[in-house]
Amino acid sequence: EFFPGYVPNAVVQEYLDGPEFTIDVLCDLQGVPVSIVPRERVVIRAGVMDRGRTVNDSRLIALAMQACAAIPFVGAINIQVRMRGNEPAIFEINPRFSGGIPLTIQAGADFPSMLIKMALGRQVAPMVGEFKKDLWMTSFESSFFLDGADLHAQAFELRSHVEEAA
């Protein structure tokens, strides 16, 4: 209720608080889906999936097919979905690889390889819904601590080796 009066021409979406999924989709140059891999976003930090899993959910695959029939996509997209009761509802479509693409690739849908084949004019056989189901991925952040003096000494040593090699 606040934003339409505060922001001119505001776009206000329905609030969806059910489980969240990303559907990784790869379409060929004619806009036909070649691969569709739904993933549940189990733990999300700062908008990025820290923990997730592939899911074999026909509702999510069918929704991605419907979106691709309605809007002509080429290449990689990711469709953000939340469940509204028992039905998935799209809240965002991004024309890019998702942050969780390593899980999709590890599950057997190697989008980069398929894109290279397409770019070379080769046919890529559709494999919609063909992926390793219930494959989990956990990502984590690591911190490294360096003493400034050590860092400067290492940089100087590296410069010396580079100069000697030249």
Side-chain angles (χ1 to χ4, degrees), residues 88-136:
I90 296 173
F91 66 88
E92 184 175 308
I93 299 177
N94 300 295
R96 59 173 171 79
F97 287 117
S98 66
I101 195 68
L103 177 54
T104 292
I105 294 168
Q106 187 66 31
D110 189 347
F111 283 18
S113 177
M114 288 185 253
L115 282 168
I116 290 169
K117 287 178 185 173
M118 284 187 245
L120 294 172
R122 297 184 189 149
Q123 289 285 49
V124 175
M127 52 180 285
V128 172
E130 296 178 26
F131 58 91
K132 184 173 176 54
K133 283 84 174 161
D134 201 32
L135 179 64
W136 285 76

Short mmCIF file of all heavy atoms in Angstrom, two decimals, residues 88-136:
data_model
loop_
_atom_site.label_atom_id
_atom_site.label_comp_id
_atom_site.label_asym_id
_atom_site.label_seq_id
_atom_site.Cartn_x
_atom_site.Cartn_y
_atom_site.Cartn_z
N PRO A 88 3.36 -23.59 -8.62
CA PRO A 88 4.49 -22.67 -8.75
C PRO A 88 4.07 -21.36 -9.39
O PRO A 88 3.22 -21.34 -10.28
CB PRO A 88 5.46 -23.44 -9.66
CG PRO A 88 4.60 -24.38 -10.44
CD PRO A 88 3.42 -24.70 -9.56
N ALA A 89 4.64 -20.26 -8.91
CA ALA A 89 4.37 -18.92 -9.46
C ALA A 89 5.70 -18.26 -9.79
O ALA A 89 6.58 -18.15 -8.94
CB ALA A 89 3.59 -18.08 -8.44
N ILE A 90 5.82 -17.81 -11.04
CA ILE A 90 7.03 -17.13 -11.48
C ILE A 90 7.05 -15.72 -10.90
O ILE A 90 6.05 -15.00 -10.98
CB ILE A 90 7.09 -17.05 -13.02
CG1 ILE A 90 7.20 -18.45 -13.63
CG2 ILE A 90 8.26 -16.17 -13.47
CD1 ILE A 90 7.09 -18.48 -15.14
N PHE A 91 8.18 -15.30 -10.35
CA PHE A 91 8.30 -13.92 -9.92
C PHE A 91 9.44 -13.19 -10.61
O PHE A 91 9.56 -11.97 -10.50
CB PHE A 91 8.42 -13.80 -8.38
CG PHE A 91 9.66 -14.37 -7.78
CD1 PHE A 91 10.82 -13.61 -7.66
CD2 PHE A 91 9.68 -15.68 -7.32
CE1 PHE A 91 11.96 -14.13 -7.10
CE2 PHE A 91 10.82 -16.22 -6.74
CZ PHE A 91 11.96 -15.44 -6.63
N GLU A 92 10.27 -13.92 -11.38
CA GLU A 92 11.38 -13.26 -12.06
C GLU A 92 11.96 -14.21 -13.11
O GLU A 92 12.02 -15.41 -12.90
CB GLU A 92 12.45 -12.93 -11.01
CG GLU A 92 13.64 -12.17 -11.50
CD GLU A 92 14.56 -11.80 -10.34
OE1 GLU A 92 14.10 -11.23 -9.34
OE2 GLU A 92 15.76 -12.12 -10.43
N ILE A 93 12.35 -13.63 -14.25
CA ILE A 93 13.07 -14.39 -15.28
C ILE A 93 14.32 -13.61 -15.62
O ILE A 93 14.25 -12.42 -15.92
CB ILE A 93 12.21 -14.61 -16.55
CG1 ILE A 93 10.95 -15.42 -16.21
CG2 ILE A 93 13.04 -15.32 -17.62
CD1 ILE A 93 10.01 -15.62 -17.38
N ASN A 94 15.48 -14.28 -15.54
CA ASN A 94 16.76 -13.64 -15.81
C ASN A 94 17.39 -14.25 -17.06
O ASN A 94 17.57 -15.47 -17.12
CB ASN A 94 17.72 -13.84 -14.63
CG ASN A 94 17.17 -13.23 -13.37
OD1 ASN A 94 17.01 -12.02 -13.28
ND2 ASN A 94 16.85 -14.06 -12.39
N PRO A 95 17.77 -13.43 -18.04
CA PRO A 95 18.40 -13.95 -19.26
C PRO A 95 19.91 -14.13 -19.08
O PRO A 95 20.72 -13.41 -19.64
CB PRO A 95 18.08 -12.87 -20.29
CG PRO A 95 18.04 -11.61 -19.48
CD PRO A 95 17.49 -12.01 -18.13
N ARG A 96 20.28 -15.11 -18.24
CA ARG A 96 21.69 -15.35 -17.93
C ARG A 96 21.81 -16.68 -17.20
O ARG A 96 20.81 -17.29 -16.82
CB ARG A 96 22.23 -14.24 -17.04
CG ARG A 96 21.47 -14.11 -15.72
CD ARG A 96 22.12 -13.13 -14.76
NE ARG A 96 21.31 -12.87 -13.61
CZ ARG A 96 21.18 -13.65 -12.55
NH1 ARG A 96 21.79 -14.82 -12.50
NH2 ARG A 96 20.42 -13.31 -11.52
N PHE A 97 23.07 -17.11 -17.00
CA PHE A 97 23.30 -18.26 -16.14
C PHE A 97 22.93 -17.88 -14.71
O PHE A 97 23.16 -16.75 -14.27
CB PHE A 97 24.78 -18.67 -16.15
CG PHE A 97 25.24 -19.32 -17.42
CD1 PHE A 97 26.20 -18.72 -18.19
CD2 PHE A 97 24.71 -20.53 -17.82
CE1 PHE A 97 26.66 -19.32 -19.35
CE2 PHE A 97 25.14 -21.15 -18.98
CZ PHE A 97 26.12 -20.54 -19.76
N SER A 98 22.40 -18.82 -13.98
CA SER A 98 22.08 -18.58 -12.57
C SER A 98 23.34 -18.75 -11.73
O SER A 98 24.33 -19.35 -12.18
CB SER A 98 21.02 -19.58 -12.10
OG SER A 98 21.57 -20.90 -12.11
N GLY A 99 23.29 -18.25 -10.51
CA GLY A 99 24.41 -18.43 -9.59
C GLY A 99 24.62 -19.89 -9.22
O GLY A 99 25.71 -20.30 -8.85
N GLY A 100 23.58 -20.69 -9.35
CA GLY A 100 23.66 -22.11 -9.01
C GLY A 100 23.95 -23.00 -10.21
O GLY A 100 23.78 -24.22 -10.12
N ILE A 101 24.42 -22.41 -11.32
CA ILE A 101 24.66 -23.20 -12.54
C ILE A 101 25.65 -24.35 -12.32
O ILE A 101 25.53 -25.38 -12.98
CB ILE A 101 25.09 -22.29 -13.72
CG1 ILE A 101 24.99 -23.05 -15.08
CG2 ILE A 101 26.49 -21.75 -13.52
CD1 ILE A 101 23.60 -23.37 -15.50
N PRO A 102 26.61 -24.25 -11.38
CA PRO A 102 27.48 -25.42 -11.17
C PRO A 102 26.70 -26.68 -10.79
O PRO A 102 27.08 -27.78 -11.19
CB PRO A 102 28.42 -24.97 -10.04
CG PRO A 102 28.47 -23.48 -10.17
CD PRO A 102 27.07 -23.10 -10.59
N LEU A 103 25.61 -26.53 -10.05
CA LEU A 103 24.79 -27.68 -9.68
C LEU A 103 24.12 -28.28 -10.91
O LEU A 103 24.10 -29.50 -11.10
CB LEU A 103 23.76 -27.28 -8.63
CG LEU A 103 22.76 -28.37 -8.19
CD1 LEU A 103 23.47 -29.63 -7.70
CD2 LEU A 103 21.83 -27.81 -7.11
N THR A 104 23.60 -27.43 -11.78
CA THR A 104 22.96 -27.90 -13.01
C THR A 104 23.96 -28.64 -13.89
O THR A 104 23.66 -29.72 -14.42
CB THR A 104 22.34 -26.70 -13.75
OG1 THR A 104 21.25 -26.21 -12.96
CG2 THR A 104 21.83 -27.07 -15.12
N ILE A 105 25.15 -28.08 -14.03
CA ILE A 105 26.19 -28.72 -14.85
C ILE A 105 26.59 -30.07 -14.24
O ILE A 105 26.68 -31.08 -14.95
CB ILE A 105 27.41 -27.79 -15.00
CG1 ILE A 105 27.01 -26.55 -15.83
CG2 ILE A 105 28.58 -28.52 -15.64
CD1 ILE A 105 28.04 -25.44 -15.80
N GLN A 106 26.81 -30.09 -12.94
CA GLN A 106 27.21 -31.33 -12.26
C GLN A 106 26.11 -32.39 -12.37
O GLN A 106 26.40 -33.59 -12.40
CB GLN A 106 27.54 -31.06 -10.79
CG GLN A 106 28.13 -32.24 -10.06
CD GLN A 106 29.49 -32.65 -10.59
OE1 GLN A 106 30.27 -31.83 -11.06
NE2 GLN A 106 29.78 -33.94 -10.55
N ALA A 107 24.87 -31.96 -12.47
CA ALA A 107 23.74 -32.89 -12.59
C ALA A 107 23.61 -33.46 -14.00
O ALA A 107 22.73 -34.28 -14.25
CB ALA A 107 22.45 -32.19 -12.17
N GLY A 108 24.46 -33.01 -14.92
CA GLY A 108 24.47 -33.59 -16.25
C GLY A 108 23.97 -32.71 -17.37
O GLY A 108 23.92 -33.12 -18.52
N ALA A 109 23.59 -31.49 -17.05
CA ALA A 109 23.12 -30.54 -18.07
C ALA A 109 24.21 -29.49 -18.27
O ALA A 109 24.18 -28.43 -17.65
CB ALA A 109 21.80 -29.91 -17.66
N ASP A 110 25.17 -29.80 -19.11
CA ASP A 110 26.34 -28.95 -19.31
C ASP A 110 26.01 -27.82 -20.30
O ASP A 110 26.30 -27.90 -21.49
CB ASP A 110 27.51 -29.79 -19.81
CG ASP A 110 28.82 -29.02 -19.84
OD1 ASP A 110 28.80 -27.78 -19.72
OD2 ASP A 110 29.86 -29.67 -19.98
N PHE A 111 25.38 -26.77 -19.79
CA PHE A 111 24.94 -25.66 -20.63
C PHE A 111 26.09 -25.03 -21.43
O PHE A 111 25.92 -24.79 -22.62
CB PHE A 111 24.26 -24.58 -19.79
CG PHE A 111 22.85 -24.89 -19.34
CD1 PHE A 111 22.36 -26.18 -19.35
CD2 PHE A 111 22.02 -23.88 -18.91
CE1 PHE A 111 21.05 -26.46 -18.94
CE2 PHE A 111 20.72 -24.13 -18.51
CZ PHE A 111 20.23 -25.42 -18.51
N PRO A 112 27.25 -24.74 -20.83
CA PRO A 112 28.33 -24.14 -21.62
C PRO A 112 28.74 -25.00 -22.82
O PRO A 112 28.91 -24.50 -23.93
CB PRO A 112 29.47 -23.97 -20.62
CG PRO A 112 28.78 -23.84 -19.30
CD PRO A 112 27.60 -24.78 -19.39
N SER A 113 28.86 -26.30 -22.60
CA SER A 113 29.23 -27.20 -23.69
C SER A 113 28.15 -27.20 -24.78
O SER A 113 28.47 -27.17 -25.98
CB SER A 113 29.43 -28.61 -23.14
OG SER A 113 29.71 -29.51 -24.18
N MET A 114 26.90 -27.23 -24.36
CA MET A 114 25.80 -27.21 -25.34
C MET A 114 25.79 -25.90 -26.13
O MET A 114 25.55 -25.90 -27.34
CB MET A 114 24.46 -27.42 -24.64
CG MET A 114 24.26 -28.84 -24.15
SD MET A 114 22.60 -29.07 -23.45
CE MET A 114 22.97 -29.16 -21.72
N LEU A 115 26.07 -24.79 -25.47
CA LEU A 115 26.10 -23.49 -26.15
C LEU A 115 27.23 -23.44 -27.18
O LEU A 115 27.05 -22.88 -28.27
CB LEU A 115 26.26 -22.35 -25.14
CG LEU A 115 24.99 -21.96 -24.40
CD1 LEU A 115 25.31 -21.05 -23.23
CD2 LEU A 115 24.00 -21.30 -25.34
N ILE A 116 28.37 -24.01 -26.84
CA ILE A 116 29.50 -24.05 -27.79
C ILE A 116 29.11 -24.86 -29.02
O ILE A 116 29.35 -24.44 -30.16
CB ILE A 116 30.77 -24.60 -27.11
CG1 ILE A 116 31.30 -23.57 -26.10
CG2 ILE A 116 31.84 -24.93 -28.15
CD1 ILE A 116 32.39 -24.08 -25.18
N LYS A 117 28.48 -26.01 -28.81
CA LYS A 117 28.03 -26.82 -29.94
C LYS A 117 27.06 -26.04 -30.82
O LYS A 117 27.16 -26.06 -32.05
CB LYS A 117 27.37 -28.11 -29.44
CG LYS A 117 28.35 -29.11 -28.89
CD LYS A 117 27.64 -30.34 -28.36
CE LYS A 117 28.64 -31.28 -27.70
NZ LYS A 117 27.98 -32.40 -27.04
N MET A 118 26.11 -25.34 -30.19
CA MET A 118 25.15 -24.54 -30.96
C MET A 118 25.86 -23.45 -31.75
O MET A 118 25.54 -23.21 -32.91
CB MET A 118 24.10 -23.92 -30.03
CG MET A 118 23.05 -24.88 -29.56
SD MET A 118 21.76 -24.00 -28.66
CE MET A 118 21.98 -24.67 -27.03
N ALA A 119 26.84 -22.79 -31.12
CA ALA A 119 27.57 -21.72 -31.79
C ALA A 119 28.36 -22.24 -32.98
O ALA A 119 28.58 -21.52 -33.95
CB ALA A 119 28.52 -21.03 -30.80
N LEU A 120 28.76 -23.51 -32.93
CA LEU A 120 29.48 -24.14 -34.03
C LEU A 120 28.55 -24.71 -35.09
O LEU A 120 28.99 -25.34 -36.04
CB LEU A 120 30.40 -25.24 -33.49
CG LEU A 120 31.55 -24.77 -32.61
CD1 LEU A 120 32.28 -25.96 -31.99
CD2 LEU A 120 32.53 -23.90 -33.41
N GLY A 121 27.24 -24.50 -34.90
CA GLY A 121 26.26 -24.96 -35.87
C GLY A 121 25.87 -26.42 -35.72
O GLY A 121 25.21 -26.97 -36.59
N ARG A 122 26.24 -27.03 -34.63
CA ARG A 122 25.90 -28.43 -34.41
C ARG A 122 24.54 -28.53 -33.72
O ARG A 122 24.15 -27.66 -32.96
CB ARG A 122 26.96 -29.11 -33.54
CG ARG A 122 28.32 -29.14 -34.19
CD ARG A 122 29.30 -29.89 -33.35
NE ARG A 122 30.64 -29.74 -33.88
CZ ARG A 122 31.72 -29.75 -33.15
NH1 ARG A 122 31.64 -29.90 -31.84
NH2 ARG A 122 32.91 -29.59 -33.72
N GLN A 123 23.85 -29.62 -33.98
CA GLN A 123 22.57 -29.88 -33.33
C GLN A 123 22.81 -30.35 -31.89
O GLN A 123 23.75 -31.11 -31.64
CB GLN A 123 21.79 -30.96 -34.08
CG GLN A 123 21.27 -30.49 -35.41
CD GLN A 123 20.07 -29.57 -35.25
OE1 GLN A 123 20.07 -28.62 -34.46
NE2 GLN A 123 19.03 -29.84 -36.00
N VAL A 124 21.97 -29.90 -31.01
CA VAL A 124 22.01 -30.36 -29.62
C VAL A 124 20.68 -31.05 -29.36
O VAL A 124 19.62 -30.43 -29.47
CB VAL A 124 22.22 -29.18 -28.64
CG1 VAL A 124 22.14 -29.66 -27.20
CG2 VAL A 124 23.56 -28.51 -28.90
N ALA A 125 20.75 -32.33 -29.08
CA ALA A 125 19.53 -33.11 -28.85
C ALA A 125 18.85 -32.63 -27.57
O ALA A 125 19.51 -32.48 -26.53
CB ALA A 125 19.86 -34.59 -28.75
N PRO A 126 17.55 -32.38 -27.61
CA PRO A 126 16.83 -31.98 -26.39
C PRO A 126 16.95 -33.04 -25.30
O PRO A 126 16.91 -34.24 -25.58
CB PRO A 126 15.38 -31.84 -26.86
CG PRO A 126 15.49 -31.59 -28.32
CD PRO A 126 16.67 -32.38 -28.78
N MET A 127 17.16 -32.56 -24.10
CA MET A 127 17.25 -33.44 -22.94
C MET A 127 16.49 -32.83 -21.77
O MET A 127 16.97 -32.80 -20.63
CB MET A 127 18.72 -33.73 -22.58
CG MET A 127 19.59 -32.51 -22.43
SD MET A 127 21.30 -32.89 -22.03
CE MET A 127 21.18 -33.34 -20.30
N VAL A 128 15.30 -32.32 -22.07
CA VAL A 128 14.46 -31.68 -21.06
C VAL A 128 14.12 -32.68 -19.96
O VAL A 128 13.63 -33.77 -20.24
CB VAL A 128 13.17 -31.12 -21.70
CG1 VAL A 128 12.20 -30.64 -20.63
CG2 VAL A 128 13.51 -30.00 -22.66
N GLY A 129 14.42 -32.31 -18.73
CA GLY A 129 14.13 -33.17 -17.59
C GLY A 129 15.12 -34.30 -17.38
O GLY A 129 14.94 -35.11 -16.48
N GLU A 130 16.16 -34.36 -18.21
CA GLU A 130 17.17 -35.41 -18.06
C GLU A 130 18.35 -34.86 -17.27
O GLU A 130 19.17 -34.11 -17.80
CB GLU A 130 17.63 -35.91 -19.43
CG GLU A 130 16.54 -36.58 -20.23
CD GLU A 130 17.00 -37.01 -21.60
OE1 GLU A 130 18.22 -37.26 -21.79
OE2 GLU A 130 16.15 -37.09 -22.49
N PHE A 131 18.43 -35.21 -16.03
CA PHE A 131 19.50 -34.76 -15.14
C PHE A 131 19.49 -35.64 -13.90
O PHE A 131 18.52 -36.36 -13.65
CB PHE A 131 19.31 -33.28 -14.76
CG PHE A 131 18.00 -32.99 -14.08
CD1 PHE A 131 17.87 -33.04 -12.70
CD2 PHE A 131 16.87 -32.67 -14.83
CE1 PHE A 131 16.65 -32.78 -12.08
CE2 PHE A 131 15.65 -32.42 -14.23
CZ PHE A 131 15.54 -32.47 -12.84
N LYS A 132 20.56 -35.58 -13.13
CA LYS A 132 20.63 -36.34 -11.88
C LYS A 132 19.73 -35.66 -10.86
O LYS A 132 19.92 -34.50 -10.51
CB LYS A 132 22.07 -36.41 -11.38
CG LYS A 132 22.24 -37.25 -10.14
CD LYS A 132 23.71 -37.42 -9.81
CE LYS A 132 23.94 -38.16 -8.54
NZ LYS A 132 23.33 -39.44 -8.39
N LYS A 133 18.74 -36.42 -10.41
CA LYS A 133 17.78 -35.90 -9.45
C LYS A 133 18.32 -35.98 -8.02
O LYS A 133 19.12 -36.86 -7.71
CB LYS A 133 16.46 -36.68 -9.52
CG LYS A 133 15.59 -36.31 -10.71
CD LYS A 133 16.00 -37.05 -11.92
CE LYS A 133 15.04 -36.80 -13.09
NZ LYS A 133 15.59 -37.13 -14.37
N ASP A 134 17.89 -35.06 -7.18
CA ASP A 134 18.26 -35.02 -5.77
C ASP A 134 19.77 -34.95 -5.56
O ASP A 134 20.32 -35.54 -4.64
CB ASP A 134 17.66 -36.19 -5.00
CG ASP A 134 17.58 -35.91 -3.49
OD1 ASP A 134 17.40 -34.73 -3.12
OD2 ASP A 134 17.72 -36.85 -2.70
N LEU A 135 20.44 -34.20 -6.44
CA LEU A 135 21.87 -33.92 -6.27
C LEU A 135 21.98 -32.63 -5.46
O LEU A 135 21.38 -31.62 -5.83
CB LEU A 135 22.56 -33.77 -7.63
CG LEU A 135 24.05 -33.45 -7.59
CD1 LEU A 135 24.83 -34.60 -6.95
CD2 LEU A 135 24.57 -33.17 -9.00
N TRP A 136 22.71 -32.66 -4.39
CA TRP A 136 22.85 -31.52 -3.49
C TRP A 136 24.16 -30.78 -3.76
O TRP A 136 25.16 -31.39 -4.11
CB TRP A 136 22.82 -31.96 -2.04
CG TRP A 136 21.45 -32.33 -1.56
CD1 TRP A 136 20.76 -33.49 -1.85
CD2 TRP A 136 20.59 -31.56 -0.74
NE1 TRP A 136 19.54 -33.47 -1.25
CE2 TRP A 136 19.41 -32.30 -0.55
CE3 TRP A 136 20.72 -30.32 -0.14
CZ2 TRP A 136 18.35 -31.83 0.22
CZ3 TRP A 136 19.66 -29.85 0.64
CH2 TRP A 136 18.49 -30.60 0.80
#
